[in-house]
Amino acid sequence: VQLVESGGGLVQVGGSLRLSCAASGFTFDTYAITWFRQAPGKEREGVACIVNSDGNTYYADSVKGRFTISSDYANDTVTLQMNNLKPEDTAIYYCAADPSKRTTSSWYLFPYDYWGEGTQVTVSS
């Protein structure tokens, strides 16, 4: 099983980034894929989730209206489009996968079975 994130970088306030998570080694269509992030000195937190089995998506309140999560089922890739970035979005972003059916009250809870190595996002002011 492998999850490989890409697309992180340095961007100015108000800018955009597009993160990708390439998945392999499991049945992509049946998993929930979630982006988490962890800023220095803070706990890891859920950002956005897509449940590939039913297409439902969930977002943290702090990113609603700015971030969009989507799945490319042909290429087993999940994308996180991040717009109007703020300094508080600075963190290492991880994608994670789990076979359980995640809901609005559980998508951000641990554990998740598989994790990527993470990609750094830095928003400068």
Side-chain angles (χ1 to χ4, degrees):
V1 172
Q2 206 170 17
L3 295 170
V4 180
E5 302 97 336
S6 61
L10 175 64
V11 65
Q12 292 188 330
V13 170
S16 297
L17 281 175
R18 187 179 180 92
L19 304 184
S20 293
C21 173
S24 61
F26 61 93
T27 308
F28 182 79
D29 293 2
T30 65
Y31 273 62
I33 310 292
T34 296
W35 285 94
F36 289 84
R37 66 185 181 188
Q38 188 165 20
K42 294 189 176 182
E43 293 187 351
R44 195 169 295 191
E45 63 175 358
V47 176
C49 171
I50 185 163
V51 182
N52 284 333
S53 59
D54 61 20
N56 285 335
T57 58
Y58 307 103
Y59 295 92
D61 287 344
S62 58
V63 306
K64 279 181 182 175
R66 300 189 297 123
F67 291 11
T68 303
I69 190 170
S70 60
S71 280
D72 178 350
Y73 296 97
N75 294 299
D76 289 0
T77 300
V78 172
T79 297
L80 185 68
Q81 178 66 42
M82 306 187 296
N83 298 328
N84 190 22
L85 283 160
K86 304 176 180 181
E88 51 264 42
D89 295 318
T90 296
I92 299 175
Y93 283 70
Y94 302 88
C95 66
D98 193 78
S100 62
K101 184 164 174 61
R102 298 287 175 148
T103 67
T104 187
S105 60
S106 70
W107 67 270
Y108 49 88
L109 299 176
F110 302 118
Y112 268 71
D113 278 4
Y114 308 120
W115 290 83
E117 295 292 318
T119 185
Q120 176 71 48
V121 171
T122 303
V123 184
S124 67
S125 55

